[in-house]
Amino acid sequence: MSYCINPNCSNRINSDDCEFCQACGTKLLINERYQIVKALRVGLNYNSEVFEVKDFKERANFKVLKSLSPRFNNSKAADLFEKEAQILIWLSAEWHKHRGIPKVKPDSYFSFSIGSGLKQLNCLVMEKIEGQNLEQWLNKNHCISEEQAINWLQQLIHILDK
């Protein structure tokens, strides 16, 4: 299955043998290297969508692709999205590396044409860090102990200090 990145597409699911989305015509291989494996957060309620992608240039790695909704292209949200990319690229420098900060390469922020090519999506690809999100953790463990909360806060402080 190959998933279409176009947030306005009427049918985003395509077979793996398709080069273009059968519903909207958007190219399914993003930036000539990324194929969406599954949606992690999608919908018009968000200013960005998040996907797990397969990187055909680094075959062993799955990554995360975040795309800013086209309705925010000329807004403060677009400026903040680009700033996020710049900061993550800077933090990926050798002397900043931290296991809790996803690595981002300099060519991982780009624009991608959707549909007939008149609209652009700003995209950011980053390392996928395996693990549970807070909601998944709470569903499994039900509550956070004071000791666990302090541990997580200390980890966050260390990351923010970077």
Side-chain angles (χ1 to χ4, degrees):
M1 176 196 79
S2 190
Y3 197 88
C4 179
I5 195 170
N6 186 346
N8 300 313
C9 183
S10 61
N11 183 14
R12 297 176 86 172
I13 298 172
N14 294 269
S15 64
D16 279 335
D17 60 342
C18 294
E19 188 176 342
F20 295 91
C21 177
Q22 299 300 291
C24 72
T26 298
K27 196 167 185 180
L28 294 173
L29 189 61
I30 301 159
N31 213 30
E32 305 300 325
R33 72 184 281 182
Y34 305 108
Q35 178 187 23
I36 297 176
V37 175
K38 69 179 176 180
L40 299 175
R41 184 187 74 203
V42 294
L44 298 175
N45 296 335
Y46 303 105
N47 66 359
S48 63
E49 295 187 319
V50 182
F51 307 94
E52 182 176 332
V53 295
K54 182 194 293 185
D55 184 347
F56 284 98
K57 287 192 178 176
E58 296 178 23
R59 293 197 180 266
N61 291 333
F62 283 92
K63 296 186 177 177
V64 172
L65 183 147
K66 184 177 177 183
S67 65
L68 184 67
S69 175
R71 71 181 186 271
F72 294 105
N73 278 353
N74 297 312
S75 71
K76 181 72 174 165
D79 295 338
L80 291 171
F81 191 75
E82 184 175 2
K83 186 81 166 170
E84 175 185 355
Q86 292 169 349
I87 290 169
L88 285 171
I89 291 166
W90 180 74
L91 286 171
S92 294
E94 194 65 40
W95 59 282
H96 280 293
K97 285 187 180 173
H98 185 282
R99 65 183 180 90
I101 300 173
K103 292 172 191 64
V104 176
K105 295 183 177 176
D107 65 347
S108 295
Y109 177 73
F110 56 88
S111 292
F112 183 74
S113 296
I114 58 172
S116 59
L118 298 176
K119 289 189 178 181
Q120 297 279 315
L121 281 180
N122 291 320
C123 299
L124 173 61
V125 177
M126 60 192 88
E127 169 192 28
K128 181 181 181 198
I129 298 175
E130 294 295 336
Q132 297 176 314
N133 65 31
L134 181 58
E135 181 180 16
Q136 293 166 331
W137 192 93
L138 286 171
N139 286 338
K140 183 178 178 186
N141 298 287
H142 304 293
C143 66
I144 302 170
S145 69
E146 183 178 330
E147 181 181 324
Q148 184 67 53
I150 290 170
N151 177 284
W152 286 348
L153 288 170
Q154 287 173 333
Q155 289 179 50
L156 284 171
I157 288 168
H158 183 71
I159 290 170
L160 291 171
D161 187 47
K162 286 281 187 184

